[in-house]
Amino acid sequence: RQLFRSPSVPGSVSKPVLKWGQPSDKDSPVKAKRQRRVAGTPGQEASVEPVGDGEVCLEPSQSAQLEKIENLLANDDQELIGDFSKPHLLPTVEGKDPGLKYISPDTLAAVLTGRFSSFVESSIIADCRYPYEYEGGHIKGAVNLPLQREVEEFLLEQPIVPLDASKRVIVIFHCEFSVERGPKMCKFLRERDRSCHEYPQLHYPELYVLKGGYREFFFQFPSHCEPRDYRPMEHAAFKEELRKFRGQSR
């Protein structure tokens, strides 16, 4: 297990403020499991060299040992980020789509207040609501990305990469309730990101969805929102904007 897992312990952080000017990920845990090698580095096979007395080596003939390790890896696959390099950093909660990783409003607040700065270089909050919703109140530092082309332009045309290779870039998606628009955009980014790379490499291997969306976050942490308000998608004063953006989203 320790061959493939790197421990992650929350630290303290300052989140950079970013301003903005479809089926679920088809990665198969079994496929990913088979692509990883049983050795100290990814491309090395298990060695057949003899070892000292009392120690056990992994040889191709020892199918039982290999099967045991494969089973351990299979059990851990759902906890690894998209390129299978390490476990997810943020604690997750159960959500509607089992193929996505959900975080609670408390966890997002911890990210915003710097609790994970030792491990996270950039945390991008992708607000997938329509512009009139965003303007009526949004999480501080969130980027308004309601359309797929805007997600591609902002995140893929010039990918955001960590300057410190030991740190992470994480992307957190949400919409009003994080039931439809946010999860769909999270899946879209993963699919487009996959298409740009040789499997399993990714620009953004660590994606999350904010459970409960902006509505839940605002009621729990209004001080992290600007302006301190919540404008619902079906606001009576914005029926025409809703019709327009729904048409663009199709």
Side-chain angles (χ1 to χ4, degrees), residues 143-154:
V143 186
N144 191 206
L145 301 173
L147 303 176
Q148 290 182 351
R149 60 176 172 78
E150 293 173 340
V151 169
E152 290 189 276
E153 289 169 4
F154 188 83

Side-chain angles (χ1 to χ4, degrees), residues 113-130:
T113 53
R115 295 235 337 250
F116 295 93
S117 61
S118 297
F119 304 96
V120 176
E121 185 168 298
S122 297
S123 51
I124 303 150
I125 304 173
D127 187 332
C128 302
R129 296 175 302 154
Y130 302 136

Side-chain angles (χ1 to χ4, degrees), residues 22-27 147-153 155-157 159 173 184-198 201-204 207:
Q22 261 174 275
S24 62
D25 191 11
K26 300 181 179 62
D27 303 339
L147 303 176
Q148 290 182 351
R149 60 176 172 78
E150 293 173 340
V151 169
E152 290 189 276
E153 289 169 4
L155 293 172
L156 294 176
E157 286 190 359
F173 288 86
K184 281 185 176 179
M185 206 66 83
C186 183
K187 293 177 184 178
F188 170 76
L189 176 62
R190 175 53 54 82
E191 290 172 357
R192 295 295 299 125
D193 202 356
R194 281 276 182 234
S195 70
C196 300
H197 294 87
E198 181 178 346
Q201 299 302 314
L202 291 164
H203 287 309
Y204 303 102
L207 307 180

Side-chain angles (χ1 to χ4, degrees), residues 174-227:
H174 77 84
C175 52
E176 185 175 4
F177 304 105
S178 288
V179 171
E180 185 175 354
R181 291 174 289 174
K184 281 185 176 179
M185 206 66 83
C186 183
K187 293 177 184 178
F188 170 76
L189 176 62
R190 175 53 54 82
E191 290 172 357
R192 295 295 299 125
D193 202 356
R194 281 276 182 234
S195 70
C196 300
H197 294 87
E198 181 178 346
Y199 185 90
Q201 299 302 314
L202 291 164
H203 287 309
Y204 303 102
E206 194 157 0
L207 307 180
Y208 298 96
V209 174
L210 173 62
K211 187 172 183 179
Y214 179 75
R215 183 182 186 278
E216 186 65 28
F217 186 85
F218 171 73
F219 286 127
Q220 291 189 36
F221 300 99
S223 64
H224 286 300
C225 302
E226 58 181 10

Side-chain angles (χ1 to χ4, degrees), residues 62-158:
Q62 293 178 307
S63 57
Q65 289 285 343
L66 291 175
E67 182 178 357
K68 180 179 179 180
I69 292 174
E70 294 250 302
N71 288 337
L72 287 172
L73 292 174
N75 290 336
D76 284 346
D77 271 332
Q78 293 303 313
E79 301 307 319
L80 299 179
I81 62 176
D83 61 2
F84 311 114
S85 62
K86 56 180 73 73
H88 285 81
L89 174 66
L90 303 183
T92 58
V93 294
E94 186 176 352
K96 180 180 178 182
D97 189 329
L100 299 175
K101 293 295 181 183
Y102 292 81
I103 62 171
S104 68
D106 290 302
T107 296
L108 178 53
V111 172
L112 293 172
T113 53
R115 295 235 337 250
F116 295 93
S117 61
S118 297
F119 304 96
V120 176
E121 185 168 298
S122 297
S123 51
I124 303 150
I125 304 173
D127 187 332
C128 302
R129 296 175 302 154
Y130 302 136
Y132 66 89
E133 297 173 83
Y134 177 86
E135 291 162 4
H138 58 269
I139 298 167
K140 292 179 180 178
V143 186
N144 191 206
L145 301 173
L147 303 176
Q148 290 182 351
R149 60 176 172 78
E150 293 173 340
V151 169
E152 290 189 276
E153 289 169 4
F154 188 83
L155 293 172
L156 294 176
E157 286 190 359
Q158 291 187 317

